[in-house]
Amino acid sequence: MLDQPLEWLYWTGLHVTGWKLIGYTGALMFGARWLVQFVASRRAGRPVIPRLFWYMSVAGSLMTLSYFLFSPKQDSVGVLQNIFPAFTALYSLHLDIRHRGWRGDRAPL
């Protein structure tokens, strides 16, 4: 089903499938995390990596990884390119939750 072209996008002239939409969304999310980091650092006046950065990293990595794994594309370069960032983001999110608490209400050290 995700391999079929999305009819509601025919007017654009683009051949977009459900898997491509997942891949596009993941790539945009993975890239937009830097905007989130920039805004948080700008507000704090120092380098800051907010938890949203890690959530976006995990979601973006897993979405693009699923595109390369399960779509007809099945590109091993894309899989390799997204496995490490997904693992790193999951681990960093785990550390952030452990360090600052689930709600981020523990005082930073």
Side-chain angles (χ1 to χ4, degrees):
M1 178 166 162
L2 290 173
D3 298 335
Q4 301 301 316
L6 300 174
E7 293 182 23
W8 56 274
L9 288 174
Y10 278 157
W11 65 272
T12 64
L14 300 173
H15 178 78
V16 179
T17 65
W19 280 118
K20 279 189 180 180
L21 197 58
I22 289 170
Y24 291 149
T25 304
L28 287 171
M29 187 173 297
F30 196 73
R33 69 199 173 115
W34 292 109
L35 180 62
V36 168
Q37 193 269 335
F38 172 79
V39 170
S41 294
R42 182 103 169 125
R43 286 181 180 166
R46 62 183 176 82
V48 174
I49 299 179
R51 187 170 293 167
L52 181 58
F53 178 91
W54 298 119
Y55 283 125
M56 292 175 75
S57 296
V58 169
S61 291
L62 292 177
M63 289 175 83
T64 53
L65 181 61
S66 67
Y67 168 73
F68 286 114
L69 276 173
F70 303 117
S71 76
K73 182 92 171 159
Q74 295 192 349
D75 184 359
S76 60
V77 173
V79 170
L80 185 62
Q81 182 179 356
N82 286 282
I83 282 179
F84 186 69
F87 169 76
T88 304
L90 280 167
Y91 183 69
S92 295
L93 181 59
H94 164 75
L95 290 177
D96 187 57
I97 291 169
R98 197 171 91 194
H99 178 73
R100 293 192 303 155
W102 180 252
R103 295 184 183 182
D105 51 4
R106 287 191 203 149
L109 299 175

